[in-house]
Amino acid sequence: MTAGLALIGAALALVPSAQAEDGYDLWLRHAPLEGEALERLRIFAPRVEVELYRGDETPTLAIAARELDLGLAKLGGGTVASASGAGSAIALECGSDPAGAGEYTVRSNAKGIAIGGPGQLSCLYGAYALLRELSQGADPRSLDIVSAPAMPLRMLNHWDNPDGHVERGYSGRSIFDWWHLPERLDQRMIDYARANASIGINAVAVNNVNATAYVLEPRYIEKLARLADAWRPYGIRVFLSARFSAPRELGGLETADPLDPAVRAWWADKADEIYAAIPDFGGFLVKANSEGQPGPQDYGRTHAEGANMLAEALRERGTVIWRAFVYSEHDETDRAKQAYAEFIPLDGAFADNVIVQVKNGPIDFQPREPFHPMFGAMPDTRLMLEAQITKEYLGFASHLAYLAPMWEEVLDADTGHGATVAQVVAPVGMAGVANTGSDRNWSGSDFDQANWYAFGRLAWDPSLSSEQIAREWAAQTFSRDPAFVDAVVPMMLASRQAVVDYMTPLGLAHLMGTGHHYGPAPWVCELERPEWNPCYYHRADADGIGFDRTPSGSDALSQYAPSVAAHWSDPEAIDPAYLLWFHRVGWNHPMRSGRSLWAELVARYDSGVGEVDRMAQTWRGLAHYVDPQRHRAVSANLAIQQSEARWWRDGSLSYWQSVNGLELPAGTRPAAESLDHYRSLSFPEAPGN
Amino acid sequence: MTAGLALIGAALALVPSAQAEDGYDLWLRHAPLEGEALERLRIFAPRVEVELYRGDETPTLAIAARELDLGLAKLGGGTVASASGAGSAIALECGSDPAGAGEYTVRSNAKGIAIGGPGQLSCLYGAYALLRELSQGADPRSLDIVSAPAMPLRMLNHWDNPDGHVERGYSGRSIFDWWHLPERLDQRMIDYARANASIGINAVAVNNVNATAYVLEPRYIEKLARLADAWRPYGIRVFLSARFSAPRELGGLETADPLDPAVRAWWADKADEIYAAIPDFGGFLVKANSEGQPGPQDYGRTHAEGANMLAEALRERGTVIWRAFVYSEHDETDRAKQAYAEFIPLDGAFADNVIVQVKNGPIDFQPREPFHPMFGAMPDTRLMLEAQITKEYLGFASHLAYLAPMWEEVLDADTGHGATVAQVVAPVGMAGVANTGSDRNWSGSDFDQANWYAFGRLAWDPSLSSEQIAREWAAQTFSRDPAFVDAVVPMMLASRQAVVDYMTPLGLAHLMGTGHHYGPAPWVCELERPEWNPCYYHRADADGIGFDRTPSGSDALSQYAPSVAAHWSDPEAIDPAYLLWFHRVGWNHPMRSGRSLWAELVARYDSGVGEVDRMAQTWRGLAHYVDPQRHRAVSANLAIQQSEARWWRDGSLSYWQSVNGLELPAGTRPAAESLDHYRSLSFPEAPGN
């Protein structure tokens, strides 16, 4: 019998796919329009016109025009003729400043569309904005967009080591091929710049804050210069993470004391050397006296003395970004208090070209933390927000957790000092720890692309809602069909709370496995540094659970403005999301839900697990809208997340039960395995460690 | 002034490319045919017909048909109608054995083309063969191909650690995403299987021979089973590198003594556990008592006793591949002699399902070595050839070195025992250490894809010439234009000798930097293990250079058959390519060229450098035939190779001069830097270490 291939169905998952999408194109796919939107574009018949002001090169304009040409061709699906003379003009009419802040207008007019602004970068950002709108099906005849960046520095921090390992990276090897630079500039470096520029990111620290000194060697400056040249037309400035002890390690000095004249001279020379190669070098990002990194305190100097020394070396040419992520094993106070305690006395002491970079919360990128008390409390210091795009504590690359709601929560928080966090950092900027890697989809999972996208969009405009960003992203990345968008966006919006619920509900934090930060390990209590132990954070015993940060405990609450502290000081009145962060309560503590704390805790774990099940079900129903390769990949991740959400729930509950001796509420599903089983699991090969 | 984009030329290297190719499609691009070839295909109007023998699934046939459908559609460039009923039939008519050895026929007939053979795999291999021919422009009406594999095992060995690091990997992170298996099977795993099947590779050892024990844990067996299921229809069997001490590390036993009953039982149980999950599991690959790895000698047992114990555990179900790459720091004889000395006495002692895997040469994958003396010398042992596709010693991923001529040299070598190396290993197989990684082009450079391709093709048919393989590969990978193929193939064929010349000419070996194996370091002489020092190999002093392996020296020559040894025993008569491998001679030793050894050495270095310059020039002239992205990437690599060839030449010559006090021959370019400079270079971030 002879039969066509259609009869052989079951094996098809194994065969090569004709229209495979691997996610490399990110949100810049520009999938062909359909129906009315396509018809509108066809009638509009766009042609790109570039206004040249000078005879010399204008690479940023060239890129903008080329992006429009390519993007429009893709949106037209080959059916929109590239008109010459006829049709509607898309005119790039921007000022001659090769960069500029990037504010732009995109306006439909009688002749077509004008993209304008004071500098060349306006045209690039405007071109991407136009494509973003058209990709979502907007009518090219009725555009009237005026946009300007809310903050000057919109930055990615890469925790990428020069050898290719990415600390807390879950998407393969580093995207930076330092080994072959400067001779070989990988196409990925251009595509990376495109992606960043399309969402307004304008600064990149290329190496891990746990820095090696050798990136300051001449051979690396050469490599970095090649990157800087490639990224400049995209409006991206490069920064280096600098190791504070480099004058000893590279310079052969006996000290790195920031007040030592030889040290100051070494850094000044190094800065001059860098600026000779990279005239618009951004500056240094520094992790000092934190988790074993060298710093000014090694010589009895303050953070300000350290930062200002580097700032002097950079002069007006660049910026020192000094991280406030510090805590000490010898400080017996609450770890959550230490950054504030160290930095607040230094308010006003930092040079003008120093920025202090503050994580969103006072511990470390947990699924939920209250905002960091430093925001609003250092009026004479330039503060920048540091967020984490890579999901170190939110399930690595496989868990679907859309982070915009978390960042929105922080940005919108009222510091009680007369400004929201967004308002505090608006004059400075935001940095996000990147989630990129060598995986073909860049971020390890298709949905983690949304976090890169959302970070850029929020840094450009923190007033954008998580929902709007999700809609934009989903439409461009997967399908602009309203039925798809309406189904997938609610799932994205609920996803971060789901992670909070199945990992660390009700204000719990830092309960993950040691080192790799993978999976539940609330039982860990024997690490040498007390504040690395999960038990340090949950303080659970037979009587209760939670960290007392009220005046009867560590009094971390007092670091917040009184109006804010008042909100959180009463365990009855506090938002339950922060309860165990600020309060230690009994297992039978009555919750507003009517349940005991214990029953509420169990309900939250179950709620997180249930939400992931719903996400998986929703996604199964969306196969029609997504290419098989990416649909399959997301489904596989959701299956992992379903299983790991249960692991978190069961491992955590088993441990709490071993401490409180309580039964699970009636009708609750028992843990699948014994506590001993969960404690026995080990993952020597976990990524990102 | 308004101007079109065409005016902005200089910046174009920075902008996104419309028709970018990133190399991911390898030799399976099936670029649209043109001219007569396209017309022939159009007239032929192929339609794929599958003969189904049973009602149940035939995944291999489904894949073969799908590959033909996709490949023909691509070759037709959208202009060849997918006929239904009309046109010529491509009939897949294979036996019902789900696998089979894979011998196939591809024959044109009155109805079209018939692909046939005794098992389903015949149709898969035949389909790839047909596409290979059509891609090169063959006439579909006149095909008559009969082909069968020359050896049963055509294998890739991956030195990939489960954490993603690839030992001696120069193309990014491991392609194996163990972390997300078994739930998530990356599309790369299917595309990898396609690529392998298309060149006849049928076995894969998925993890590093420096193995971790934990890959034998149940969670890894589950992961491996998912891979095995995915690869089975492509005719690929999975092997694991097994750590000999696993019974202690995983099993909690106090010994891993192969004669201990508990140890034997542990391995037997482990094998049963694996076979329950993977019925066609290939077996274990073992590096034992080599470079610090555990092995039977730790318990006073022989390699045969160790291998046979594992073979018993596998029973008739699978194979133990036991590596002969052994040498000891405590053995004061020549390292080149040690594997032979350890293994020859064991001839006949290995169980039937044990294979001894022997590297091509007696040291370690150097740019040139004489063939390994074990070949032909163990008539009662199944010997397999191990080659290295990844270029640990040949310039990593950036140097263009086409390795088929090296392998051809070894395969064609007459062992003097009545057979060539190819004939010795034909009943068993060939293994290649893979060069794959997470880079978008798989192998770190476009030309390194040729080495993967050539390895597979040679393992299928060692009688294929390097030139034919290069022609096939270049036509499928870049352009089938004869002008392109005629230019690029000679460049490929000359490339390996160029590397030999600028790195280790005239039989020198093992002169690279310590640890990372990058760059020249003939001066290294202080390492603790004597045989890890370059000076151990070159033995240069004021009087001369070279390793005396004649009876007056280590007598390694005596390990070769007398007829072979005779060829190499006379420093006057020996092929100069092997001179310093076997002989220590004075710097003024007269060469057949008429030059002194010293002058000849300098000339060889210069010849290597000059050849690379010619390669770069040739490639510059080929821009017309290759997409800009890949052309640029290859050009960048060639620039690196030009610079590094000079580094090898200059660093080496500076050192030899410091030893022999000789001037460079008149007219020779002096070294660019001082010897101290070359000695000072350090590369802590070198890949693959």
Side-chain angles (χ1 to χ4, degrees), chain A residues 490-507:
Chain A
M491 169 179 137
M492 291 172 71
L493 292 175
S495 61
R496 177 263 189 152
Q497 182 61 43
V499 175
V500 172
D501 283 340
Y502 64 71
M503 284 188 180
T504 50
L506 299 178

mmCIF file with all atom_site columns, all heavy atoms in Angstrom, chain A residues 490-507:
data_model
loop_
_atom_site.group_PDB
_atom_site.id
_atom_site.type_symbol
_atom_site.label_atom_id
_atom_site.label_alt_id
_atom_site.label_comp_id
_atom_site.label_asym_id
_atom_site.label_entity_id
_atom_site.label_seq_id
_atom_site.pdbx_PDB_ins_code
_atom_site.Cartn_x
_atom_site.Cartn_y
_atom_site.Cartn_z
_atom_site.occupancy
_atom_site.B_iso_or_equiv
_atom_site.pdbx_formal_charge
_atom_site.auth_seq_id
_atom_site.auth_comp_id
_atom_site.auth_asym_id
_atom_site.auth_atom_id
_atom_site.pdbx_PDB_model_num
ATOM 1   N N   . PRO A 1 490 ? -3.514 37.947 30.772 1.00 0.00 ? 490 PRO A N   1
ATOM 2   C CA  . PRO A 1 490 ? -3.886 37.680 32.166 1.00 0.00 ? 490 PRO A CA  1
ATOM 3   C C   . PRO A 1 490 ? -3.005 36.607 32.808 1.00 0.00 ? 490 PRO A C   1
ATOM 4   O O   . PRO A 1 490 ? -2.660 36.680 33.990 1.00 0.00 ? 490 PRO A O   1
ATOM 5   C CB  . PRO A 1 490 ? -5.334 37.200 32.063 1.00 0.00 ? 490 PRO A CB  1
ATOM 6   C CG  . PRO A 1 490 ? -5.840 37.740 30.776 1.00 0.00 ? 490 PRO A CG  1
ATOM 7   C CD  . PRO A 1 490 ? -4.658 37.781 29.851 1.00 0.00 ? 490 PRO A CD  1
ATOM 8   N N   . MET A 1 491 ? -2.646 35.635 32.006 1.00 0.00 ? 491 MET A N   1
ATOM 9   C CA  . MET A 1 491 ? -1.757 34.573 32.498 1.00 0.00 ? 491 MET A CA  1
ATOM 10  C C   . MET A 1 491 ? -0.396 35.163 32.884 1.00 0.00 ? 491 MET A C   1
ATOM 11  O O   . MET A 1 491 ? 0.168  34.853 33.939 1.00 0.00 ? 491 MET A O   1
ATOM 12  C CB  . MET A 1 491 ? -1.631 33.565 31.354 1.00 0.00 ? 491 MET A CB  1
ATOM 13  C CG  . MET A 1 491 ? -0.600 32.521 31.462 1.00 0.00 ? 491 MET A CG  1
ATOM 14  S SD  . MET A 1 491 ? -0.734 31.467 29.942 1.00 0.00 ? 491 MET A SD  1
ATOM 15  C CE  . MET A 1 491 ? 1.004  31.288 29.581 1.00 0.00 ? 491 MET A CE  1
ATOM 16  N N   . MET A 1 492 ? 0.118  36.048 32.058 1.00 0.00 ? 492 MET A N   1
ATOM 17  C CA  . MET A 1 492 ? 1.394  36.701 32.384 1.00 0.00 ? 492 MET A CA  1
ATOM 18  C C   . MET A 1 492 ? 1.252  37.537 33.659 1.00 0.00 ? 492 MET A C   1
ATOM 19  O O   . MET A 1 492 ? 2.104  37.499 34.549 1.00 0.00 ? 492 MET A O   1
ATOM 20  C CB  . MET A 1 492 ? 1.852  37.594 31.225 1.00 0.00 ? 492 MET A CB  1
ATOM 21  C CG  . MET A 1 492 ? 2.284  36.814 29.985 1.00 0.00 ? 492 MET A CG  1
ATOM 22  S SD  . MET A 1 492 ? 2.601  37.888 28.544 1.00 0.00 ? 492 MET A SD  1
ATOM 23  C CE  . MET A 1 492 ? 4.130  38.707 29.050 1.00 0.00 ? 492 MET A CE  1
ATOM 24  N N   . LEU A 1 493 ? 0.168  38.275 33.737 1.00 0.00 ? 493 LEU A N   1
ATOM 25  C CA  . LEU A 1 493 ? 0.004  39.194 34.870 1.00 0.00 ? 493 LEU A CA  1
ATOM 26  C C   . LEU A 1 493 ? -0.117 38.430 36.196 1.00 0.00 ? 493 LEU A C   1
ATOM 27  O O   . LEU A 1 493 ? 0.279  38.934 37.240 1.00 0.00 ? 493 LEU A O   1
ATOM 28  C CB  . LEU A 1 493 ? -1.219 40.088 34.643 1.00 0.00 ? 493 LEU A CB  1
ATOM 29  C CG  . LEU A 1 493 ? -1.067 41.088 33.491 1.00 0.00 ? 493 LEU A CG  1
ATOM 30  C CD1 . LEU A 1 493 ? -2.369 41.844 33.264 1.00 0.00 ? 493 LEU A CD1 1
ATOM 31  C CD2 . LEU A 1 493 ? 0.071  42.072 33.773 1.00 0.00 ? 493 LEU A CD2 1
ATOM 32  N N   . ALA A 1 494 ? -0.673 37.235 36.135 1.00 0.00 ? 494 ALA A N   1
ATOM 33  C CA  . ALA A 1 494 ? -0.839 36.463 37.372 1.00 0.00 ? 494 ALA A CA  1
ATOM 34  C C   . ALA A 1 494 ? 0.402  35.661 37.738 1.00 0.00 ? 494 ALA A C   1
ATOM 35  O O   . ALA A 1 494 ? 0.507  35.134 38.842 1.00 0.00 ? 494 ALA A O   1
ATOM 36  C CB  . ALA A 1 494 ? -2.030 35.508 37.212 1.00 0.00 ? 494 ALA A CB  1
ATOM 37  N N   . SER A 1 495 ? 1.344  35.587 36.808 1.00 0.00 ? 495 SER A N   1
ATOM 38  C CA  . SER A 1 495 ? 2.408  34.590 36.971 1.00 0.00 ? 495 SER A CA  1
ATOM 39  C C   . SER A 1 495 ? 3.369  34.899 38.116 1.00 0.00 ? 495 SER A C   1
ATOM 40  O O   . SER A 1 495 ? 3.822  34.003 38.822 1.00 0.00 ? 495 SER A O   1
ATOM 41  C CB  . SER A 1 495 ? 3.183  34.451 35.658 1.00 0.00 ? 495 SER A CB  1
ATOM 42  O OG  . SER A 1 495 ? 3.785  35.689 35.299 1.00 0.00 ? 495 SER A OG  1
ATOM 43  N N   . ARG A 1 496 ? 3.704  36.161 38.332 1.00 0.00 ? 496 ARG A N   1
ATOM 44  C CA  . ARG A 1 496 ? 4.684  36.449 39.386 1.00 0.00 ? 496 ARG A CA  1
ATOM 45  C C   . ARG A 1 496 ? 4.085  36.162 40.765 1.00 0.00 ? 496 ARG A C   1
ATOM 46  O O   . ARG A 1 496 ? 4.762  35.615 41.633 1.00 0.00 ? 496 ARG A O   1
ATOM 47  C CB  . ARG A 1 496 ? 5.149  37.892 39.272 1.00 0.00 ? 496 ARG A CB  1
ATOM 48  C CG  . ARG A 1 496 ? 6.120  38.308 40.353 1.00 0.00 ? 496 ARG A CG  1
ATOM 49  C CD  . ARG A 1 496 ? 5.410  39.036 41.492 1.00 0.00 ? 496 ARG A CD  1
ATOM 50  N NE  . ARG A 1 496 ? 6.299  39.630 42.446 1.00 0.00 ? 496 ARG A NE  1
ATOM 51  C CZ  . ARG A 1 496 ? 5.976  40.701 43.159 1.00 0.00 ? 496 ARG A CZ  1
ATOM 52  N NH1 . ARG A 1 496 ? 4.817  41.300 42.974 1.00 0.00 ? 496 ARG A NH1 1
ATOM 53  N NH2 . ARG A 1 496 ? 6.804  41.159 44.063 1.00 0.00 ? 496 ARG A NH2 1
ATOM 54  N N   . GLN A 1 497 ? 2.817  36.499 40.950 1.00 0.00 ? 497 GLN A N   1
ATOM 55  C CA  . GLN A 1 497 ? 2.207  36.192 42.241 1.00 0.00 ? 497 GLN A CA  1
ATOM 56  C C   . GLN A 1 497 ? 2.155  34.682 42.456 1.00 0.00 ? 497 GLN A C   1
ATOM 57  O O   . GLN A 1 497 ? 2.310  34.204 43.587 1.00 0.00 ? 497 GLN A O   1
ATOM 58  C CB  . GLN A 1 497 ? 0.798  36.791 42.320 1.00 0.00 ? 497 GLN A CB  1
ATOM 59  C CG  . GLN A 1 497 ? 0.108  36.561 43.671 1.00 0.00 ? 497 GLN A CG  1
ATOM 60  C CD  . GLN A 1 497 ? 0.864  37.197 44.828 1.00 0.00 ? 497 GLN A CD  1
ATOM 61  O OE1 . GLN A 1 497 ? 1.343  38.323 44.732 1.00 0.00 ? 497 GLN A OE1 1
ATOM 62  N NE2 . GLN A 1 497 ? 1.014  36.457 45.942 1.00 0.00 ? 497 GLN A NE2 1
ATOM 63  N N   . ALA A 1 498 ? 1.961  33.942 41.394 1.00 0.00 ? 498 ALA A N   1
ATOM 64  C CA  . ALA A 1 498 ? 1.968  32.479 41.525 1.00 0.00 ? 498 ALA A CA  1
ATOM 65  C C   . ALA A 1 498 ? 3.300  32.005 42.078 1.00 0.00 ? 498 ALA A C   1
ATOM 66  O O   . ALA A 1 498 ? 3.358  31.157 42.978 1.00 0.00 ? 498 ALA A O   1
ATOM 67  C CB  . ALA A 1 498 ? 1.691  31.835 40.169 1.00 0.00 ? 498 ALA A CB  1
ATOM 68  N N   . VAL A 1 499 ? 4.402  32.568 41.547 1.00 0.00 ? 499 VAL A N   1
ATOM 69  C CA  . VAL A 1 499 ? 5.725  32.166 42.040 1.00 0.00 ? 499 VAL A CA  1
ATOM 70  C C   . VAL A 1 499 ? 5.888  32.531 43.516 1.00 0.00 ? 499 VAL A C   1
ATOM 71  O O   . VAL A 1 499 ? 6.365  31.741 44.331 1.00 0.00 ? 499 VAL A O   1
ATOM 72  C CB  . VAL A 1 499 ? 6.845  32.803 41.195 1.00 0.00 ? 499 VAL A CB  1
ATOM 73  C CG1 . VAL A 1 499 ? 8.213  32.489 41.790 1.00 0.00 ? 499 VAL A CG1 1
ATOM 74  C CG2 . VAL A 1 499 ? 6.767  32.325 39.760 1.00 0.00 ? 499 VAL A CG2 1
ATOM 75  N N   . VAL A 1 500 ? 5.485  33.745 43.868 1.00 0.00 ? 500 VAL A N   1
ATOM 76  C CA  . VAL A 1 500 ? 5.539  34.151 45.273 1.00 0.00 ? 500 VAL A CA  1
ATOM 77  C C   . VAL A 1 500 ? 4.787  33.129 46.122 1.00 0.00 ? 500 VAL A C   1
ATOM 78  O O   . VAL A 1 500 ? 5.283  32.671 47.156 1.00 0.00 ? 500 VAL A O   1
ATOM 79  C CB  . VAL A 1 500 ? 4.932  35.558 45.457 1.00 0.00 ? 500 VAL A CB  1
ATOM 80  C CG1 . VAL A 1 500 ? 4.801  35.895 46.936 1.00 0.00 ? 500 VAL A CG1 1
ATOM 81  C CG2 . VAL A 1 500 ? 5.763  36.599 44.734 1.00 0.00 ? 500 VAL A CG2 1
ATOM 82  N N   . ASP A 1 501 ? 3.617  32.739 45.663 1.00 0.00 ? 501 ASP A N   1
ATOM 83  C CA  . ASP A 1 501 ? 2.776  31.861 46.468 1.00 0.00 ? 501 ASP A CA  1
ATOM 84  C C   . ASP A 1 501 ? 3.380  30.465 46.643 1.00 0.00 ? 501 ASP A C   1
ATOM 85  O O   . ASP A 1 501 ? 3.373  29.916 47.731 1.00 0.00 ? 501 ASP A O   1
ATOM 86  C CB  . ASP A 1 501 ? 1.369  31.765 45.861 1.00 0.00 ? 501 ASP A CB  1
ATOM 87  C CG  . ASP A 1 501 ? 0.527  32.999 46.161 1.00 0.00 ? 501 ASP A CG  1
ATOM 88  O OD1 . ASP A 1 501 ? 0.870  33.726 47.121 1.00 0.00 ? 501 ASP A OD1 1
ATOM 89  O OD2 . ASP A 1 501 ? -0.465 33.250 45.448 1.00 0.00 ? 501 ASP A OD2 1
ATOM 90  N N   . TYR A 1 502 ? 3.917  29.904 45.558 1.00 0.00 ? 502 TYR A N   1
ATOM 91  C CA  . TYR A 1 502 ? 4.414  28.534 45.750 1.00 0.00 ? 502 TYR A CA  1
ATOM 92  C C   . TYR A 1 502 ? 5.832  28.492 46.286 1.00 0.00 ? 502 TYR A C   1
ATOM 93  O O   . TYR A 1 502 ? 6.317  27.447 46.710 1.00 0.00 ? 502 TYR A O   1
ATOM 94  C CB  . TYR A 1 502 ? 4.222  27.650 44.507 1.00 0.00 ? 502 TYR A CB  1
ATOM 95  C CG  . TYR A 1 502 ? 4.960  28.018 43.224 1.00 0.00 ? 502 TYR A CG  1
ATOM 96  C CD1 . TYR A 1 502 ? 6.337  27.872 43.112 1.00 0.00 ? 502 TYR A CD1 1
ATOM 97  C CD2 . TYR A 1 502 ? 4.255  28.440 42.101 1.00 0.00 ? 502 TYR A CD2 1
ATOM 98  C CE1 . TYR A 1 502 ? 7.000  28.168 41.919 1.00 0.00 ? 502 TYR A CE1 1
ATOM 99  C CE2 . TYR A 1 502 ? 4.901  28.739 40.902 1.00 0.00 ? 502 TYR A CE2 1
ATOM 100 C CZ  . TYR A 1 502 ? 6.275  28.608 40.821 1.00 0.00 ? 502 TYR A CZ  1
ATOM 101 O OH  . TYR A 1 502 ? 6.937  28.894 39.653 1.00 0.00 ? 502 TYR A OH  1
ATOM 102 N N   . MET A 1 503 ? 6.549  29.636 46.272 1.00 0.00 ? 503 MET A N   1
ATOM 103 C CA  . MET A 1 503 ? 7.907  29.647 46.829 1.00 0.00 ? 503 MET A CA  1
ATOM 104 C C   . MET A 1 503 ? 7.965  30.260 48.224 1.00 0.00 ? 503 MET A C   1
ATOM 105 O O   . MET A 1 503 ? 8.438  29.633 49.160 1.00 0.00 ? 503 MET A O   1
ATOM 106 C CB  . MET A 1 503 ? 8.841  30.433 45.915 1.00 0.00 ? 503 MET A CB  1
ATOM 107 C CG  . MET A 1 503 ? 9.267  29.697 44.652 1.00 0.00 ? 503 MET A CG  1
ATOM 108 S SD  . MET A 1 503 ? 10.551 30.655 43.785 1.00 0.00 ? 503 MET A SD  1
ATOM 109 C CE  . MET A 1 503 ? 10.855 29.581 42.377 1.00 0.00 ? 503 MET A CE  1
ATOM 110 N N   . THR A 1 504 ? 7.533  31.512 48.335 1.00 0.00 ? 504 THR A N   1
ATOM 111 C CA  . THR A 1 504 ? 7.724  32.263 49.581 1.00 0.00 ? 504 THR A CA  1
ATOM 112 C C   . THR A 1 504 ? 6.509  33.136 49.859 1.00 0.00 ? 504 THR A C   1
ATOM 113 O O   . THR A 1 504 ? 6.586  34.366 49.780 1.00 0.00 ? 504 THR A O   1
ATOM 114 C CB  . THR A 1 504 ? 8.976  33.165 49.466 1.00 0.00 ? 504 THR A CB  1
ATOM 115 O OG1 . THR A 1 504 ? 8.892  33.920 48.244 1.00 0.00 ? 504 THR A OG1 1
ATOM 116 C CG2 . THR A 1 504 ? 10.247 32.356 49.470 1.00 0.00 ? 504 THR A CG2 1
ATOM 117 N N   . PRO A 1 505 ? 5.387  32.499 50.246 1.00 0.00 ? 505 PRO A N   1
ATOM 118 C CA  . PRO A 1 505 ? 4.169  33.288 50.441 1.00 0.00 ? 505 PRO A CA  1
ATOM 119 C C   . PRO A 1 505 ? 4.214  34.163 51.692 1.00 0.00 ? 505 PRO A C   1
ATOM 120 O O   . PRO A 1 505 ? 5.047  33.949 52.585 1.00 0.00 ? 505 PRO A O   1
ATOM 121 C CB  . PRO A 1 505 ? 3.091  32.217 50.555 1.00 0.00 ? 505 PRO A CB  1
ATOM 122 C CG  . PRO A 1 505 ? 3.799  30.994 51.026 1.00 0.00 ? 505 PRO A CG  1
ATOM 123 C CD  . PRO A 1 505 ? 5.185  31.074 50.461 1.00 0.00 ? 505 PRO A CD  1
ATOM 124 N N   . LEU A 1 506 ? 3.345  35.123 51.754 1.00 0.00 ? 506 LEU A N   1
ATOM 125 C CA  . LEU A 1 506 ? 3.063  35.907 52.972 1.00 0.00 ? 506 LEU A CA  1
ATOM 126 C C   . LEU A 1 506 ? 4.275  36.627 53.530 1.00 0.00 ? 506 LEU A C   1
ATOM 127 O O   . LEU A 1 506 ? 4.392  36.820 54.736 1.00 0.00 ? 506 LEU A O   1
ATOM 128 C CB  . LEU A 1 506 ? 2.433  35.005 54.057 1.00 0.00 ? 506 LEU A CB  1
ATOM 129 C CG  . LEU A 1 506 ? 1.088  34.341 53.699 1.00 0.00 ? 506 LEU A CG  1
ATOM 130 C CD1 . LEU A 1 506 ? 0.614  33.450 54.841 1.00 0.00 ? 506 LEU A CD1 1
ATOM 131 C CD2 . LEU A 1 506 ? 0.037  35.410 53.364 1.00 0.00 ? 506 LEU A CD2 1
ATOM 132 N N   . GLY A 1 507 ? 5.215  37.009 52.690 1.00 0.00 ? 507 GLY A N   1
ATOM 133 C CA  . GLY A 1 507 ? 6.354  37.789 53.172 1.00 0.00 ? 507 GLY A CA  1
ATOM 134 C C   . GLY A 1 507 ? 7.561  36.958 53.549 1.00 0.00 ? 507 GLY A C   1
ATOM 135 O O   . GLY A 1 507 ? 8.578  37.503 54.000 1.00 0.00 ? 507 GLY A O   1
#
